[in-house]
């Protein structure tokens, strides 16, 4: 089983890096990089709490002797999905942004649920798919809101 999990990890690492490189081709680059690093920071902090309070565990992960969190998800997949979401909603109004947040969170949640049921990549201890779904949706919306505020003040600053 361990080999299958590591193959899945490598697949998602390569997929995340490829998708991220593709997403960076679209301007504004500084926004995408800012979103990426905010999401990575956010994920790393939140995952530490989730692991410390024994809500989730990651039995098979990259560098298990160094990191307890799933660094592949925290530093590659999750931030890349954040950039994708922000690009998908760049010109949208708030209602459509909310709809897209719920829609994008669904396949991610279902994939995580499948991994929890069929692999040793993730184990829910005091967690469930509903928490995953709503926390992903809220995180998409939160980071989208943060970047909207940054853009607003940046535009004001440029006009002065």
């Amino acid at each position: 089983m361990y080999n299958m999990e590591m193959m899945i990890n490598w697949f998602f690492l390569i997929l995340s890096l490829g998708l991220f490189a593709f997403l960076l081709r679209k301007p504004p680059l500084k926004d995408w990089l800012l979103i990426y690093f905010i999401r990575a920071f956010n994920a790393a902090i939140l995952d530490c709490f989730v692991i410390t309070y024994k809500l989730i565990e990651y039995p098979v992960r990259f560098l298990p002797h160094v990191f307890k969190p799933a660094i592949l998800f925290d530093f590659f997949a999750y931030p890349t999905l954040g950039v994708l979401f922000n690009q998908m909603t760049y010109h949208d109004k708030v209602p459509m942004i909310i709809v897209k947040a719920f829609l994008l969170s669904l396949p991610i949640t279902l994939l995580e649920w499948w991994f929890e049921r069929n692999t040793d990549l993730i184990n829910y201890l005091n967690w469930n798919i509903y928490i995953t779904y709503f926390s992903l949706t809220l995180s998409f919306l939160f980071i989208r809101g943060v970047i909207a505020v940054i853009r607003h003040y940046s535009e004001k600053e440029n006009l002065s």
Side-chain angles (χ1 to χ4, degrees), residues 1-17:
M1 193 81 141
Y2 177 79
N3 287 334
M4 181 181 74
E5 281 87 356
M6 287 311 290
M7 285 175 37
I8 292 169
N9 275 333
W10 280 106
F11 171 78
F12 278 102
L13 174 63
I14 293 166
L15 180 66
S16 295
L17 290 173

Side-chain angles (χ1 to χ4, degrees), residues 1-9 56-62 64 68-70 72 111-125:
M1 193 81 141
Y2 177 79
N3 287 334
M4 181 181 74
E5 281 87 356
M6 287 311 290
M7 285 175 37
I8 292 169
N9 275 333
I56 291 177
E57 67 180 2
Y58 305 102
V60 177
R61 61 192 181 278
F62 282 132
K68 288 199 184 293
L72 168 63
L111 185 62
E112 180 182 283
W113 176 76
W114 189 89
F115 285 154
E116 198 274 334
R117 294 279 182 223
N118 298 293
T119 72
D120 286 328
L121 291 171
I122 184 170
N123 288 333
Y124 294 164
L125 303 175

Side-chain angles (χ1 to χ4, degrees), residues 33 35 78 118 133 139:
L33 291 173
I35 291 163
Y78 183 75
N118 298 293
Y133 182 66
S139 71

Side-chain angles (χ1 to χ4, degrees), residues 85 89-102 141 144-145 148:
F85 174 73
T89 61
Y90 189 71
H91 297 290
D92 291 342
K93 303 266 187 246
V94 173
M96 186 53 71
I97 292 169
I98 293 169
V99 167
K100 287 182 179 180
F102 277 101
L141 295 172
R144 181 63 172 81

Side-chain angles (χ1 to χ4, degrees), residues 8-81:
I8 292 169
N9 275 333
W10 280 106
F11 171 78
F12 278 102
L13 174 63
I14 293 166
L15 180 66
S16 295
L17 290 173
L19 180 59
F20 183 62
F22 176 76
L23 293 174
L24 287 182
R25 295 175 28 191
K26 187 175 183 180
L29 178 63
K30 67 180 180 188
D31 286 10
W32 311 142
L33 291 173
L34 184 59
I35 291 163
Y36 187 90
F37 289 116
I38 290 172
R39 293 220 14 138
F41 178 77
N42 171 285
I45 297 295
L46 292 176
D47 229 1
C48 286
F49 281 100
V50 166
I51 291 167
T52 299
Y53 288 102
K54 299 186 185 324
L55 303 174
I56 291 177
E57 67 180 2
Y58 305 102
V60 177
R61 61 192 181 278
F62 282 132
L63 303 172
H65 301 301
V66 181
F67 297 102
K68 288 199 184 293
I71 60 168
L72 168 63
F73 183 75
D74 291 350
F75 297 125
F76 297 100
Y78 183 75
T80 300
L81 290 169

